[in-house]
Amino acid sequence: MHCNNWIFDMDGTLTDSMTVVWEGAPDALLARYGRTPKSDLHKTLLAMGMADGAAYLIREYNLPLKMEDYNDVMWDVITKLYETVELKPGVRELLARLKAEGARMCICSNTWSAQCRTVLTRLGIDEYFDFYVEAQGALHKSRPDVFFQTLARLGGTDPNRCVVCEDSLYAARTAHDAGFHVIGIADAASKSDEPALREVSDQFLTDWTELDWNKV
């Protein structure tokens, strides 16, 4: 195996939570305050980190929330939704083989690290990851810094020997342009971006059972 460092997104990449949680949570939050979501809400939020998304919802929907209150409210909303989330096909087998081959792995997600850990602990795969990175603020995935800093924490220096696994086009493109080895994974929430995601991925998979190990 050429690549011994692996950076995984969680939502839509390892878990089926993009539709369940990240399309469901904004709607559930707005419903609490009697607001109706616009038709392009999910697409707009998809390319934002948590902080930017919160500011957008508060501003655009005139929510009676301050930024310091938002996290507690949204945490309650998504915690309930995450209880129904499951792993995508092939994830357990993938992680077990990577560990057996000596790969170092971590999570780099827009979602709060504590929430990621809770979900992946429930699903029985937390043990595979060395650490969790919150891709928010200055470390948003639209900028390559988050991937380089994460690679350094994994103990690597060469992006070409580090795999970034993503379902989101903007994040995959950032990693690709920075020289990382990119694996794109199909997800219903990003179906419209699939042609472009294929272009920036070294491998594009319908699910993890399709991974060609000879190419990583």
Side-chain angles (χ1 to χ4, degrees):
M1 187 171 64
H2 174 72
C3 299
N4 56 1
N5 294 305
W6 289 64
I7 301 173
F8 287 96
D9 173 57
M10 184 181 79
D11 299 296
T13 299
L14 296 178
T15 63
D16 63 1
S17 45
M18 280 304 299
T19 300
V20 175
V21 178
W22 295 110
E23 290 191 0
D27 292 353
L29 176 70
L30 294 177
R32 287 192 177 193
Y33 298 100
R35 309 295 198 267
T36 301
K38 299 175 183 177
S39 60
D40 64 347
L41 175 62
H42 299 145
K43 184 176 182 179
T44 300
L45 293 177
L46 186 60
M48 294 183 178
M50 291 290 292
D52 291 340
Y56 174 82
L57 288 170
I58 292 171
R59 180 181 68 254
E60 292 297 316
Y61 292 90
N62 193 28
L63 297 180
L65 291 172
K66 296 180 179 179
M67 283 294 290
E68 56 265 33
D69 303 321
Y70 175 89
N71 282 359
D72 288 340
V73 176
M74 183 56 91
W75 183 279
D76 183 61
V77 170
I78 69 175
T79 295
K80 292 180 173 63
L81 294 173
Y82 265 123
E83 291 173 357
T84 66
V85 163
E86 297 296 337
L87 292 176
K88 286 193 162 187
V91 168
R92 293 186 194 280
E93 295 80 4
L94 167 76
L95 299 178
R97 178 166 175 177
L98 285 173
K99 183 176 181 178
E101 296 197 15
R104 294 196 66 192
M105 297 171 274
C106 70
I107 296 292
C108 180
S109 172
N110 292 345
T111 302
W112 297 291
S113 293
Q115 185 66 69
C116 290
R117 189 180 298 277
T118 296
V119 173
L120 299 185
T121 297
R122 175 178 66 81
L123 294 172
I125 61 171
D126 169 69
E127 65 183 282
Y128 291 108
F129 304 108
D130 289 359
F131 55 86
Y132 291 72
V133 173
E134 290 184 6
Q136 300 180 21
L139 289 181
H140 189 252
K141 292 182 185 179
S142 60
R143 309 178 187 96
D145 291 3
V146 65
F147 295 118
F148 282 111
Q149 289 186 29
T150 302
L151 172 59
R153 287 185 64 183
L154 284 169
T157 58
D158 184 358
N160 189 50
R161 297 192 64 187
C162 178
V163 181
V164 173
C165 305
E166 279 284 350
D167 66 300
S168 295
L169 173 60
Y170 81 96
R173 179 176 286 146
T174 298
H176 167 80
D177 291 348
F180 287 82
H181 188 99
V182 176
I183 294 179
I185 185 78
D187 190 76
S190 54
K191 181 67 176 178
S192 63
D193 290 332
E194 185 172 312
L197 183 56
R198 287 179 179 273
E199 291 182 5
V200 299
S201 299
D202 295 279
Q203 288 190 61
F204 180 84
L205 313 175
T206 300
D207 65 54
W208 286 105
T209 64
E210 297 176 348
L211 180 67
D212 186 343
W213 289 88
N214 293 320
K215 295 181 179 180
V216 293

